Amino acid sequence: MADPSKTEQATPKKKQEAREKGQIARSVELNSAIILLTALITLRYVGPFLINSMGKLFIFSYENMNAGFGMDNVYTYTVFYMMEIFKMVAPILLVMLVVGLIVNYMQVGVLFTLQPLTPKLSKINPIAGFQRLFSRRSLIEFVKSLLKLTLIGWLGYQGVKASLPQLIPAMDMQGVEAIKFVGTLTMNVLNRIIIALMVIAALDFLYQRWEHGESLKMSKQEIKDEFRQAEGDPMIKARIRQIQREMARRRMFEAVPKATVVITNPTHVAVALEYKDGMQSPMVLAKGERVIAEKIKEVARKHNVPIVENPPLARALLKQCPIGAPISPDLFEAVAEVLAFVYRMNRKKNVSVSMTTK
């Protein structure tokens, strides 16, 4: 009985795993019906060849009825008859083999797996075997077999019944004519049977695909578990992202001592810039808001990095300039004014220190 919790269609990963295990949607009835149809069509084309070969074989047998049978003759005749029979049935067998391979390929594709042959204890478990014996699949197979037998028997009966008026005159026919009559009667009956079997095969093909899809259905929890296995546990991924952010912040704080100036919006934003001789434009070493901004300012004070309050510029730098990249060209002028102010302050400090020393 199907699990009521399994309401979701199978994922591509589940379908691939099932295929690797040999669990595929394949209709044996479709194979049998198409192969039988192919055999009948081939038989119609090679029929004259078969009748001619059989006639030659009968003539050869009649001509050699009185030949002595020693060990050499028995071996020779056996090989001869086997080769002649093989020549007659080989075209039909070859066509059936090729068509069988094509039909299997169209249903399954290229698949090679040994997993269905792997011994399993469940296969010899009598309880599991009893459950399989009375499962839905077994019931469907029983009904299908019973339907085929009933159809074949009824169609065969109807075909013979319709030909009864012709059977009595056929008793006076010569050998070849009698064989042709029996062949025609047989082909008419088989044509009806083939049509019925093709209908059953088409229905069985649709059922096998539906039943295979039902057997692979998954519960919502199984889909979630598969997603976690494929993409990783969300909690673990979140923890990894958190660690990466912490490492990036640590590297950012370690770069603040190299800054030339820290531009702030007094309580919310802080952006650390570096500019040295030879650089084309100032670089953003660190930036952040609230707690991170306070940490940047704390590190800057500890290492005597100038802090300049300029709220519009701080907000613009925070929004437009990524860490480790040059500032935007439209901010050059505003940043240049800040840097000039810092350089003037530094010169005054140097002069003050120099005069104090003297």
Side-chain angles (χ1 to χ4, degrees), residues 100-216:
L101 292 175
I102 293 174
V103 174
N104 273 288
Y105 175 78
M106 292 177 67
Q107 288 196 78
V108 180
V110 179
L111 176 63
F112 179 78
T113 177
L114 298 177
Q115 291 200 30
L117 303 178
T118 305
K120 294 182 180 179
L121 294 177
S122 60
K123 293 182 178 180
I124 59 176
N125 185 349
I127 298 177
F130 185 79
Q131 292 175 345
R132 287 194 299 268
L133 184 63
F134 293 94
S135 63
R136 182 181 66 183
R137 173 179 283 273
S138 298
L139 177 62
I140 294 295
E141 292 297 326
F142 173 75
V143 172
K144 186 171 59 178
S145 300
L146 185 63
L147 179 61
K148 284 198 303 182
L149 289 175
T150 303
L151 272 175
I152 291 173
W154 183 76
L155 291 173
Y157 169 75
Q158 291 295 325
V160 174
K161 181 180 178 181
S163 301
L164 279 177
Q166 303 174 13
L167 287 177
I168 295 177
M171 297 176 63
D172 297 329
M173 293 181 181
Q174 299 296 325
V176 176
E177 293 180 353
I179 291 174
K180 289 182 178 180
F181 173 78
V182 173
T184 302
L185 175 61
T186 303
M187 292 298 294
N188 290 335
V189 174
L190 287 178
N191 286 338
R192 297 180 181 181
I193 293 175
I194 281 293
I195 294 173
L197 291 180
M198 288 296 292
V199 173
I200 295 176
L203 296 175
D204 181 66
F205 175 75
L206 296 176
Y207 168 76
Q208 293 296 338
R209 292 180 67 87
W210 174 83
E211 198 274 339
H212 180 67
E214 289 293 309
S215 67
L216 294 181

Side-chain angles (χ1 to χ4, degrees), residues 8 16 27 34 44 57 77 86 119 145 157-158 169 171 206 240 251 275 286 294 302 350 353:
E8 307 302 315
Q16 182 61 31
S27 173
I34 293 180
R44 285 186 175 180
L57 201 59
Y77 289 153
F86 176 76
S145 300
Y157 169 75
Q158 291 295 325
M171 297 176 63
L206 296 176
I240 292 174
R251 289 193 299 268
Y275 182 74
E294 291 299 326
K302 184 177 179 180
N350 292 334
V353 171

Side-chain angles (χ1 to χ4, degrees), residues 28-75:
V28 179
E29 301 299 329
L30 184 62
N31 286 9
S32 302
I34 293 180
I35 289 174
L36 182 57
L37 176 62
T38 304
L40 290 179
I41 294 174
T42 307
L43 188 61
R44 285 186 175 180
Y45 284 99
V46 301
F49 167 75
L50 290 178
I51 294 175
N52 186 40
S53 298
M54 291 175 63
K56 290 181 180 179
L57 201 59
F58 287 143
I59 293 173
F60 176 83
S61 300
Y62 179 78
E63 292 176 348
N64 291 274
M65 288 179 60
N66 298 323
F69 284 91
M71 291 302 298
D72 294 338
N73 289 343
V74 170
Y75 175 77

Side-chain angles (χ1 to χ4, degrees), residues 290-306:
R290 297 180 178 84
V291 176
I292 297 177
E294 291 299 326
K295 180 66 175 177
I296 292 173
K297 289 189 287 186
E298 179 184 342
V299 175
R301 294 189 190 100
K302 184 177 179 180
H303 292 85
N304 298 318
V305 177

Side-chain angles (χ1 to χ4, degrees), residues 10 13 101 113 171 212 241 248 290 307 334 337 339 343 345:
K13 183 175 182 293
L101 292 175
T113 177
M171 297 176 63
H212 180 67
R241 287 194 295 267
R290 297 180 178 84
I307 300 175
E337 292 178 359
L339 291 175
Y343 291 150
M345 294 297 296

